[in-house]
Amino acid sequence: MSQRVAFKQVDVFTSAPFNGNPLAVILDAASLTDRQMAEIARWTNLSETTFVLPAEDAQADYRVRIFTVDGELPFAGHPTLGTAHALLEAGLQPKRAGELVQECAVGLVKLAIAADGSLAFAAPAAVMTPFASDRVGAALNSADIDEQLAMSVVDMGIRWLLIPMRSAEAVLAAQPQVSELAALLQEAGVSGAMPFGPLHDAAEQFEVRGLLVENGSLTEDPVTGSANACLARWLASQGHTTNYAVRQGTRLGRSGRLQVRFDGETIWIAGQTVTVIDGTIRL
């Protein structure tokens, strides 16, 4: 007899379908084995698939495991918002009004529920390490690296290399060279690189890209919650604690949007999420 599990596919960091970063959510994974989770994640072929489980920590509303097609992640940003959206839409009642607490491999992550339906997660703590390399210009095929600002490796469960560039135009003009980028990522010991640059005369203040090399090929993430959380932590360490907005996915024809809010020691990464597919998976 086949088994059916509730499933949603949502688009994260967008208010309109097909403009953000898609995520598959299995709403009740208590009966699934690790092997089944891995098989489902490979089948969806999305950057991440999440599996919701009963919380083990009494403070948490739910527990989530986050899988890529290749393995499991301790934390990721757009899966955090997308899973919360899917659960609330399915009728989850938070333990505390206006907030959720997600349990995952990095610990407890708090989410805020806004009146307009947008969600925000509190950026986890991060370890920041200054980084320098002669490979960066070749990796991005660009001479517009902003040498006035120091590059940094930021570790938030996922490790990102933050690369400041002189302008948003420079970020969009970068044409990564796969072999050089792969060597740079290996040298830095990171999952991906995030070039970022300032936007002027726009509703957003930064243009960013999330660049990875997977199986020898360049992959660009449409909208990246964890990398933006790393950037926010890095900016705070530089004394930048003014709220700002981010544009990502432009080179991919997407229009991902994030808002970053500073509230004392807490940094909130916020965005809209919409459901695109709602149904069941047959196992």
Side-chain angles (χ1 to χ4, degrees):
M1 182 180 295
S2 64
Q3 176 187 0
R4 293 175 182 266
V5 292
F7 165 87
K8 290 180 185 284
Q9 188 162 313
V10 300
D11 207 7
V12 185
F13 292 122
T14 178
S15 58
F18 319 124
N19 283 290
N21 199 351
L23 171 75
V25 184
I26 306 300
L27 293 167
D28 182 3
S31 64
L32 300 183
T33 65
D34 287 6
R35 178 178 177 179
Q36 286 175 308
M37 293 183 197
E39 287 176 341
I40 292 169
R42 286 195 295 269
W43 176 78
T44 67
N45 201 34
L46 296 175
S47 58
E48 284 96 11
T49 299
T50 62
F51 299 85
V52 180
L53 298 158
E56 295 177 347
D57 189 305
Q59 299 179 68
D61 291 275
Y62 59 92
R63 182 163 65 97
V64 67
R65 294 179 66 181
I66 305 168
F67 281 75
T68 71
V69 294
D70 296 318
E72 190 170 0
L73 299 175
F75 170 77
H78 99 275
T80 294
L81 291 194
T83 301
H85 165 89
L87 286 170
L88 290 169
E89 188 177 67
L92 175 68
Q93 295 299 314
K95 292 181 177 180
R96 292 155 293 273
E99 69 176 58
L100 288 170
V101 176
Q102 171 184 284
E103 181 182 352
C104 57
V106 296
L108 300 180
V109 177
K110 184 179 289 188
L111 294 103
I113 307 168
D116 65 357
S118 64
L119 297 166
F121 69 85
V127 176
M128 286 166 274
T129 307
F131 177 80
S133 174
D134 294 334
R135 298 183 188 273
V136 178
L140 298 184
N141 194 22
S142 174
D144 286 323
I145 312 302
D146 188 347
E147 297 179 354
Q148 301 301 311
L149 297 172
M151 288 183 292
S152 183
V153 170
V154 183
D155 188 341
M156 195 177 281
I158 301 178
R159 290 166 57 86
W160 284 91
L161 173 61
L162 305 183
I163 304 174
M165 303 193 73
R166 292 173 182 158
S167 66
E169 292 75 17
V171 172
L172 294 175
Q175 297 184 355
Q177 303 301 300
V178 176
S179 60
E180 291 288 346
L181 179 60
L184 175 65
L185 299 182
Q186 183 176 16
E187 180 184 346
V190 297
S191 299
M194 186 184 206
F196 65 95
L199 272 160
H200 302 289
D201 301 321
E204 296 79 35
Q205 286 70 56
F206 290 99
E207 181 86 48
V208 308
R209 295 172 68 182
L211 305 174
L212 307 96
V213 176
E214 299 176 327
N215 300 316
S217 298
L218 175 68
T219 300
E220 181 161 352
D221 202 37
V223 203
T224 318
S226 63
N228 275 285
C230 288
L231 175 59
R233 284 285 181 200
W234 180 84
L235 287 169
S237 74
Q238 304 297 304
H240 179 124
T241 55
T242 301
N243 297 348
Y244 65 92
V246 171
R247 188 169 73 187
Q248 189 176 354
T250 307
R251 280 292 298 264
L252 301 176
R254 310 283 180 92
S255 54
R257 298 292 185 269
L258 303 92
Q259 291 76 45
V260 178
R261 301 194 301 267
F262 296 90
D263 181 14
E265 295 299 315
T266 303
I267 301 175
W268 296 99
I269 311 299
Q272 297 279 351
T273 302
V274 294
T275 299
V276 179
I277 301 171
D278 193 345
T280 59
I281 285 183
R282 181 181 297 164
L283 303 178

